[in-house]
Amino acid sequence: MPEPMNLFGLVQRGMSAQLVRMNAAASNLANAGAVAGSEQEAYRALRPVFGEQLDRASGYSSVSVAGITRAETAPTKRHDPTHPMADANGDVWEAAVDETAEMVEIMESSRQYQNLVEAMQTAKQLMLETMRIK
Amino acid sequence: MSEGLFGIHGAALELRSHRMGMLTSNIANAATPGYKARDLDFGSALKSRMDGAGSDAATASATRYRVPTMPSLDGNTVELAGEQMAFAENAVAYSATLSFIQGRVETLTRAIRGE
């Protein structure tokens, strides 16, 4: 039987999930403006989907990354016959990444990460005070 | 022994600690689609604990779903500001309970030393 989850395990999982989210947004930003020779090959933004993970023994819920989806936004077609990757019609496809949305995603993720750290520090402080009763 | 020594405060501290974990669960799941935020009805949990229920039964019967003031499209009912407030309030109450316990321990230590 697995051990019941404590607050530290819970926070740690939450932090890892937020890190996955930040990494995905960073990959999207890195691929913004990338060009492909066909619509299928063009980069589509990655987006992790979180899932609740209930620990019945303790009643706490942690987070896990349930899956990673690709955005359904279509890549932008641009007519550029001089581009080395252009197809027979002279078109190239630009990655379907919205830079502003990715920046907002990173900001939101980092705020939630900070929030978790804050909660963990408060809880840790209280636990230490409880231990020091004499 | 500890029941008689700390009275209601031992049970209260235990429940405060559990509530802290539940609120942290809500904070951790702030971005999980479909997650329903939960909280502990502290008063009724403490009452059933003092009526003799075990700590698991007391917390299970007093767990409630949070009613969101602004429902979101993805079904998530966590409102971070509210959770932070509840967490802060719970932390202060934990400290208060802790000082009650500390007071009891000091009284006892003084009695043992015969000061």
Side-chain angles (χ1 to χ4, degrees), chain B residues 59-75:
Chain B
T59 52
S61 66
T63 300
R64 309 266 185 276
Y65 285 111
R66 182 143 2 262
V67 180
T69 41
M70 283 273 287
S72 68
L73 267 182
D74 63 357

Side-chain angles (χ1 to χ4, degrees), chain A residues 75-89:
Chain A
T76 325
K77 186 165 92 170
R78 183 157 54 91
H79 188 64
D80 187 359
T82 58
H83 198 284
M85 289 178 90
D87 64 1
N89 296 324

